[in-house]
Amino acid sequence: DVYKRQSIGRGGPGRSACPRFLHFPFTTNLLPAEPVHYRARGRAAKRGIRMKHIIAVLLENEPGALSRVVGLFSARGYNIESLTVAPTEDASLSRMTIVTVGSDEVIEQITKHLNRLIEVVKVVDLTEGAYTERELMLVKVRAVGKEREEMKRMVDIFRGHIIDVTDKSYTIEITGDQSKNDAFLQAIDRSAILETVRTGSSGIGRGERILRV
């Protein structure tokens, strides 16, 4: 049958393979019990490889708290790829999500320094276990003539939405993890991109993993 023919074509008899249409350039909501990225992270940690980490920080909602966290990273030469912060259901607390890259030793040092700040209540490295990640991206693209239908087709493929329309442009909303949003930018004509805005990643632990006081 079709599945067997594709399996043999990809990896030879006896090797399992997914049908061609399952190989998307971005992750889906169908997550295995132990995510592939989690297994790969464990192997990389043993070799000291720098990997992306998503650090969730619960801190007091006070003036200057954000600047002290950013200052900590800057003073010690740690890089912040993205940072989001907003109040939680408790108005006295804010939740910050920091995306950074480093080895496990560097991330351990970052976590220790964050815990020493007076305003910080709790720190969790979400990438130590199973988690869900989302980022909102807005892209304004040129859309004239035949480009309009092609751009609509790409938006549908990535399950996005067109939220603003003019006679010369579309503004597109894409929500997903970082790899999905990167894949959308790579899939469309780079010269058609007029403007891009990304919120940065927000993450939350899966199942019983909860960050709260």
Side-chain angles (χ1 to χ4, degrees):
D1 56 16
V2 175
Y3 184 82
K4 288 183 178 178
R5 289 201 300 272
Q6 289 179 343
S7 297
I8 293 174
R10 284 181 176 274
R15 290 187 61 184
S16 62
C18 294
R20 188 185 304 272
F21 60 81
L22 289 181
H23 289 261
F24 290 106
F26 53 86
T27 59
T28 68
N29 291 328
L30 301 177
L31 298 175
E34 184 183 8
V36 175
H37 66 81
Y38 188 40
R39 297 198 299 269
R41 184 174 299 277
R43 293 193 296 269
K46 294 178 180 179
R47 300 193 296 269
I49 297 176
R50 290 163 51 87
M51 295 192 69
K52 183 181 84 169
H53 289 258
I54 300 178
I55 301 174
V57 183
L58 204 62
L59 70 164
E60 295 176 1
N61 191 6
E62 295 182 355
L66 174 60
S67 63
R68 278 186 278 276
V69 171
V70 174
L72 184 152
F73 275 75
S74 176
R76 289 163 177 79
Y78 302 141
N79 183 51
I80 296 177
E81 290 200 348
S82 70
L83 183 150
T84 62
V85 60
T88 65
E89 73 282 357
D90 182 348
S92 67
L93 295 174
S94 289
R95 177 161 174 155
M96 181 183 298
T97 305
I98 304 169
V99 178
T100 187
V101 175
S103 64
D104 279 5
E105 291 78 11
V106 169
I107 301 303
E108 184 180 355
Q109 288 300 313
I110 290 175
T111 301
K112 287 181 179 178
H113 287 309
L114 286 172
N115 277 313
R116 290 172 186 165
L117 294 178
I118 297 174
E119 298 86 358
V120 171
V121 177
K122 197 170 183 180
V123 180
V124 172
D125 182 0
L126 293 176
T127 46
E128 288 182 346
Y131 67 95
T132 299
E133 172 193 357
R134 288 294 181 270
E135 178 189 45
L136 171 66
M137 179 172 70
L138 302 178
V139 187
K140 185 180 290 185
V141 297
R142 185 185 66 247
V144 180
K146 295 181 179 179
E147 293 177 341
R148 297 176 78 85
E149 288 303 318
E150 177 63 19
M151 196 60 68
K152 283 182 181 178
R153 189 179 69 85
M154 292 303 300
V155 172
D156 290 340
I157 290 173
F158 283 83
R159 300 173 186 172
H161 303 281
I162 297 175
I163 60 174
D164 186 53
V165 178
T166 71
D167 57 347
K168 294 182 179 179
S169 69
Y170 288 150
T171 299
I172 300 164
E173 174 189 323
I174 302 288
T175 303
D177 61 18
Q178 188 177 21
S179 62
K180 174 185 174 180
N181 293 346
D182 288 342
F184 177 78
L185 294 177
Q186 294 169 6
I188 63 177
D189 184 0
R190 301 283 291 188
S191 64
I193 300 175
L194 303 176
E195 189 176 359
T196 303
V197 181
R198 302 177 73 157
T199 61
S201 296
S202 292
I204 192 168
R206 296 180 64 200
E208 301 302 318
R209 299 186 71 202
I210 299 172
L211 176 61
R212 63 182 305 169
V213 180

